Amino acid sequence: MLRIKFTHNIKREYRAYSPSKLNNAYMSVIENNTPVYKAARQFGVPLTTLRDRVDGRVSIDTVRSGPNPLFSLEQEAKLVIHIKFLAEVGYGYTRSEVIHLANDYAVHLRLRDANNPLSKKWIRGFYSRWPTMHSIQPSSLSAQRARCTTAVCIEKYFKELNRIYVKYDLTDKPWAIYNVDEKGLNTEHKPPKVIAGADLKNVQAITSNRSAAITVLGCGNAAGSCIPPYFVGKAYTQALSHNNIVSAFRKSGVYPLNPDVITERDTAPSLPYQGKLQEKQQQQALTDVQVHSNLDQASQFLVERGGEILQNVKIAKVRRNISKIIGGRAITEDEVFSNIKAFKDESERIKGKKNSSDEKRKLVKEKNDAGKGKAQTRKEKTYKRPASSVDNIHAQPGTSGVQSKKSKKQLIDSSSSSEDEVSDEEKCCKCGKFQPEELKHCVSIVFTKWAQCDNSACGHWTHLGYCTPVRIIRRDSKFYCPHCSEAQHEE
């Protein structure tokens, strides 16, 4: 009799149980002395999985197969807090920068060798462990706007706006409240994606101001009516719809008046310019009360790294400009109008005083030049670029393609004279020259790379690739000039 055996490929779902069921089964075995096989059947977890955790071969906190992550949960949580904080203040990390940061973080905690850096595989695992972290395309925010969006300025603005509403009885008249929006469009710069939290809806990146831009003007009131824009375009006319205009007034808190729409996160980019960044970062890094010694090192590393990134941010200084007078105020007020007139008169007085001083200096210079001979005037010192600059392309080559002796002599004389006229602060601390010796007879355009020593007591500049074996300075890396490097080596 022929027997046929039927086999069925049953595809079972991987890890069909939840971590809470596994934890309940584990606690039932430990606290209630329930047999392992009975607890596994009761809570619906695999028998071997539960037995491995009861016998101590696998930690109960392990929720995935394979080796354990490089960082512990607490260490990686602090790294996430640091990444989110830098993104909030406008200096977020890109994907590659996060990998470099994690690599330096692991080396600092002695979890990884410097010669064995992390790869893109780590960032994929990082995303899987922290699903709230993902790449976001930040919007551009100029440094000037970042300086002005402080909590104090926002509070003063809404206070003044409320006073105007009450004075002119505009609280319930949205058709009388207009806003003019000036939008500058620039297609030359696009910030890269940065790593930030999923709860951040509008991540900003601090960028430099651009000189070329297309300006679009639009105007509308809180009731939803609009004036045709100065720059007419299909996309812009669609944006000026009734619902969009009303929503914009509501989200900005202008009408209905609501200062609470501006949160602390919205004013975060102004923290570096107020000198309050270090205090805020310390609060973000030390959120846990009971911290292990390794976690103390982790917090210290992240605080120092954030300080290195933002150390070049200049604290905002109080300057004399008209925005201090009209910023957040109604220009139709008599007091504001008189202040504008006084500012204009003062500016004209300062400008006239400056012009008179310039005229006096010009007359003195002309008088001194008239008393000098032509030969003496020609000998006055003028700053000349080194021989490797664009001036060298005017040297006339000979018929064989090699410079003539006369032009070569002029090139050497020009280089030596310019070196004498350069101050010592602008010269390399190793070779003592502004131009590397290897480029002395170069007739083409060569861009020489420089680097400043990170030693605060030194601060000297050095030619990269010529006077030091270092050729490229990566972001967040330390550089020491040859003198400081030799001193550290001797110590």
Side-chain angles (χ1 to χ4, degrees):
M1 184 178 179
L2 181 62
R3 294 183 178 180
I4 301 176
K5 185 178 181 181
F6 295 93
T7 59
H8 301 276
N9 295 328
I10 301 175
K11 186 177 181 181
R12 297 182 178 179
E13 185 180 356
Y14 174 73
R15 203 179 292 277
Y17 57 92
S18 63
S20 59
K21 289 184 178 181
L22 179 60
N23 185 71
N24 293 335
Y26 175 80
M27 298 305 297
S28 178
V29 174
I30 298 300
E31 296 180 355
N32 303 331
N33 296 326
T34 305
V36 177
Y37 70 91
K38 185 177 181 180
R41 186 184 305 173
Q42 178 182 357
F43 292 94
V45 298
L47 176 62
T48 55
T49 301
L50 180 58
R51 190 176 296 278
D52 289 340
R53 282 152 179 76
V54 172
D55 295 341
R57 289 188 292 269
V58 180
S59 174
I60 187 61
D61 296 330
T62 303
V63 295
R64 58 181 296 272
S65 58
N68 294 328
L70 177 63
F71 303 107
S72 65
L73 182 61
E74 293 80 6
Q75 291 172 345
E76 205 162 72
K78 288 188 174 293
L79 181 63
V80 171
I81 293 174
H82 174 75
I83 294 174
K84 287 184 177 181
F85 176 73
L86 267 294
E88 288 181 6
V89 298
Y91 293 87
Y93 292 99
T94 62
R95 181 186 177 98
S96 59
E97 289 172 345
V98 169
I99 297 176
H100 292 311
L101 172 66
N103 184 72
D104 296 340
Y105 189 46
V107 173
H108 179 78
L109 298 177
R110 299 180 181 179
L111 301 176
R112 194 86 172 187
D113 188 7
N115 298 326
N116 186 22
L118 297 176
S119 61
K120 294 182 180 179
K121 183 178 179 181
W122 177 87
I123 196 70
R124 290 194 292 268
F126 177 76
Y127 283 146
S128 64
R129 292 187 297 273
W130 300 91
T132 59
M133 306 295 292
H134 61 281
S135 297
I136 299 178
Q137 182 67 47
S139 59
S140 300
L141 179 67
S142 64
Q144 184 63 30
R145 288 181 177 269
R147 292 189 183 98
C148 298
T149 54
T150 62
V152 177
C153 293
I154 299 297
E155 182 180 359
K156 288 182 178 179
Y157 171 79
F158 279 101
K159 185 177 180 180
E160 180 68 15
L161 186 61
N162 181 61
R163 188 185 69 83
I164 296 298
Y165 280 3
V166 174
K167 180 178 180 179
Y168 295 99
D169 192 19
L170 300 175
T171 307
D172 55 349
K173 298 177 181 178
W175 59 86
I177 303 173
Y178 279 83
N179 179 63
V180 178
D181 182 22
E182 177 186 358
K183 179 66 175 179
L185 305 179
N186 195 319
T187 59
E188 298 180 3
H189 180 68
K190 185 178 180 181
K193 290 186 177 181
V194 298
I195 308 299
D199 56 335
L200 296 179
K201 302 300 182 182
N202 184 21
V203 179
Q204 299 170 336
I206 304 299
T207 61
S208 58
N209 296 324
R210 295 286 177 171
S211 58
I214 300 175
T215 302
V216 182
L217 295 177
C219 182
N221 59 23
S225 302
C226 67
I227 299 175
Y230 181 77
F231 180 86
V232 180
K234 183 178 180 181
Y236 200 84
T237 54
Q238 291 178 352
L240 287 176
S241 63
H242 173 82
N243 294 334
N244 287 348
I245 295 176
V246 173
S247 176
F249 274 90
R250 184 178 64 255
K251 289 183 178 180
S252 60
V254 176
Y255 188 87
L257 189 65
N258 183 17
D260 296 333
V261 298
I262 309 298
T263 63
E264 183 180 357
R265 179 173 291 173
D266 296 328
T267 60
S270 65
L271 292 176
Y273 301 97
Q274 302 178 60
K276 300 179 180 179
L277 184 66
Q278 192 72 10
E279 178 183 354
K280 181 71 175 178
Q281 193 178 12
Q282 290 282 359
Q283 295 176 358
Q284 291 283 354
L286 301 177
T287 54
D288 297 333
V289 179
Q290 295 180 353
V291 185
H292 192 266
S293 59
N294 289 336
L295 299 184
D296 285 337
Q297 297 177 6
S299 301
Q300 185 65 25
F301 171 82
L302 296 175
V303 170
E304 292 178 356
R305 177 57 62 91
E308 291 174 0
I309 294 175
L310 302 171
Q311 63 182 352
N312 295 326
V313 178
K314 296 181 180 179
I315 305 300
K317 297 181 179 179
V318 179
R319 300 184 181 275
R320 182 183 177 275
N321 50 37
I322 197 171
S323 63
K324 300 295 182 182
I325 300 175
I326 64 175
R329 297 177 178 87
I331 60 175
T332 56
E333 296 289 315
D334 295 337
E335 181 183 357
V336 178
F337 184 78
S338 60
N339 291 336
I340 295 175
K341 187 177 183 302
F343 177 85
K344 184 178 180 181
D345 296 340
E346 181 69 14
S347 300
E348 292 293 338
R349 187 184 66 80
I350 295 176
K351 184 177 179 180
K353 185 177 180 180
K354 182 179 179 181
N355 292 337
S356 61
S357 300
D358 294 340
E359 290 292 335
K360 290 181 180 180
R361 285 194 293 268
K362 185 177 179 181
L363 293 175
V364 172
K365 185 176 182 301
E366 292 177 354
K367 183 178 180 180
N368 294 336
D369 292 342
K372 297 181 181 179
K374 293 184 178 180
Q376 185 178 1
T377 305
R378 291 176 182 176
K379 291 183 181 180
E380 291 182 349
K381 289 187 178 181
T382 57
Y383 181 78
K384 298 180 181 179
R385 286 174 289 185
S388 60
S389 62
V390 183
D391 294 336
N392 294 340
I393 64 176
H394 300 295
Q396 298 296 330
T399 56
S400 61
V402 183
Q403 288 183 329
S404 63
K405 294 183 179 179
K406 181 179 179 181
S407 61
K408 188 173 182 180
K409 186 175 184 231
Q410 292 175 351
L411 179 65
I412 297 175
D413 293 343
S414 176
S415 175
S416 60
S417 62
S418 62
E419 288 286 351
D420 296 337
E421 295 162 2
V422 178
S423 62
D424 294 337
E425 290 80 6
E426 298 179 354
K427 295 181 180 179
C428 175
C429 66
K430 181 66 175 179
C431 63
K433 297 182 178 180
F434 182 78
Q435 171 191 355
E437 189 68 23
E438 292 82 355
L439 302 178
K440 184 175 182 181
H441 303 293
C442 182
V443 296
S444 60
I445 300 177
V446 178
F447 295 95
T448 307
K449 296 181 180 180
W450 295 72
Q452 189 177 19
C453 182
D454 287 328
N455 187 2
S456 58
C458 178
H460 292 160
W461 290 82
T462 310
H463 295 128
L464 292 180
Y466 296 100
C467 299
T468 177
V470 180
R471 294 182 176 272
I472 298 176
I473 304 298
R474 199 173 65 184
R475 181 180 177 181
D476 302 331
S477 61
K478 292 286 187 178
F479 172 77
Y480 296 97
C481 67
H483 302 294
C484 295
S485 299
E486 293 175 359
Q488 291 182 352
H489 182 70
E490 292 177 359
E491 293 178 358

